[in-house]
Amino acid sequence: MADIQAARGRHLPGDIAVWLFIFAELAVFGILFIGYGVARSVDPATFSAGKDALHPWTGLINTVGLITASYLVALSVHRLRDRKAGTTALLWAAIAASSIYTFGKLWEYADLYANGYNLGTDTFFMFYFFLTFFHFMHVVLGQIILVVLAVKVKKGDYNGDDMNGMESGASYWHMVDLVWLVLFPMLYVLA
């Protein structure tokens, strides 16, 4: 039994194609982060003023929602692997927790637009809207993936024997969470 547990700990979770996609997405975000850093170093006053117009509490609540969702996704993977009940419920709970981010971000966009901020306001808001909307679309895709996983687990398509699909979806979701853990302090705290 210990050998099986050790073997489980030494494999790359999910499919290699998903990991290639994840690394490509992280590279794109990395390039955008570098561009943001360069632009911020050229015009720190604009970035400081832009940060002051944001809603840090909304950003913090969004962070809690995404971290909670990731925790629930990780629990669901372990439950499925151990063939314990509750995997589907955990996935639906993760979707609900991630919806805190979705609705919080939509509210924040609406409020910023109502106050006259948009992509053309200045360099800070160009980066803010582009980066956060690009991330937002990844969250929505991640939520769709979590719905598919929940449905497949409920139907018995994923049952702990073959974890590839479940681990692939969970790995993608954790990438989405990781990107937000860089975006939140970069935009809301350090700008």
Side-chain angles (χ1 to χ4, degrees), residues 68-79 81 90 170 173-174:
T68 301
S70 283
Y71 175 71
L72 294 168
V73 168
L75 281 179
S76 72
V77 170
H78 287 288
R79 280 208 175 271
R81 181 177 294 124
L90 286 169
W173 181 260
H174 293 310

Side-chain angles (χ1 to χ4, degrees), residues 8-24:
R8 283 184 184 170
R10 286 185 274 188
H11 81 285
L12 184 65
D15 192 82
I16 190 68
V18 169
W19 281 99
L20 292 173
F21 178 72
I22 288 170
F23 287 131

Side-chain angles (χ1 to χ4, degrees), residues 102-124:
T102 308
F103 290 113
K105 188 51 67 188
L106 289 173
W107 173 85
E108 191 172 29
Y109 287 151
D111 186 66
L112 288 169
Y113 276 118
N115 287 306
Y117 298 105
N118 57 55
L119 278 166
T121 301
D122 59 29
T123 308
F124 173 81

Side-chain angles (χ1 to χ4, degrees), residues 31-104:
I31 291 166
L32 292 170
F33 293 163
I34 290 168
Y36 175 91
V38 170
R40 180 177 171 254
S41 69
V42 170
D43 190 5
T46 297
F47 281 69
S48 180
K51 175 189 72 107
D52 291 342
L54 298 181
H55 307 89
W57 283 105
T58 303
L60 183 61
I61 291 167
N62 289 345
T63 302
V64 170
L66 289 180
I67 289 172
T68 301
S70 283
Y71 175 71
L72 294 168
V73 168
L75 281 179
S76 72
V77 170
H78 287 288
R79 280 208 175 271
L80 183 64
R81 181 177 294 124
D82 295 339
R83 292 173 176 79
K84 292 182 179 175
T87 301
T88 304
L90 286 169
L91 288 168
W92 286 113
I95 295 161
S98 69
S99 294
I100 293 169
Y101 169 89
T102 308
F103 290 113

